[in-house]
Amino acid sequence: MESGWVPDNTHAGLQQENWCPGEPQPSFWTGLKVEKKDIVIPVTTFRCPNCGYLESYAIPQSQNGVLVSGRSSSQRQLAFVLIGLAFLLIAFGVAFLFLIRAK
């Protein structure tokens, strides 16, 4: 067995649970940081329809044989939101400069 941890990202809505190897490292901005981003593995959970027993597995391959790696969907969403906000701030700054020069 390999030691790891399961990060809890709930602010961006529903998403699939992921497993990260090693020990969690504290981060000032995000609470915990993922050191090896390409080793994040999605967790698949199976349920017994008779008794409701659950078993979870971190399987490194998807059903079609393609390796799963990279950032989680919430990390991508956050990156897109931050990039969008940066462009919006730049656009407002440029518009403000044009208004000042027009006077």
Side-chain angles (χ1 to χ4, degrees), residues 19 32-34 36 42-44 59:
W19 179 87
L32 295 173
K33 60 184 169 183
V34 178
K36 300 175 181 176
V43 174
T44 302
I59 303 170

Side-chain angles (χ1 to χ4, degrees), residues 2-103:
E2 182 180 3
S3 174
W5 57 288
V6 178
D8 183 15
N9 297 320
T10 59
H11 297 293
L14 298 175
Q15 64 181 24
Q16 185 173 6
E17 185 176 35
N18 290 307
W19 179 87
C20 300
E23 295 295 318
Q25 301 297 317
S27 169
F28 178 76
W29 296 108
T30 60
L32 295 173
K33 60 184 169 183
V34 178
E35 287 294 326
K36 300 175 181 176
K37 287 186 174 38
D38 16 352
I39 304 181
V40 172
I41 301 172
V43 174
T44 302
T45 303
F46 296 95
R47 178 186 172 271
C48 174
N50 295 326
C51 68
Y53 176 76
L54 300 175
E55 283 188 12
S56 297
Y57 296 92
I59 303 170
Q61 293 187 342
S62 68
Q63 296 289 22
N64 60 4
V66 176
L67 283 175
V68 176
S69 66
R71 295 184 176 181
S72 68
S73 61
S74 68
Q75 290 173 325
R76 280 192 294 269
Q77 288 173 348
L78 180 61
F80 285 129
V81 167
L82 291 176
I83 290 170
L85 287 174
F87 280 119
L88 191 61
L89 286 173
I90 291 170
F92 280 131
V94 169
F96 182 71
L97 287 175
F98 278 121
L99 287 174
I100 290 176
R101 288 185 183 226
K103 291 182 179 183

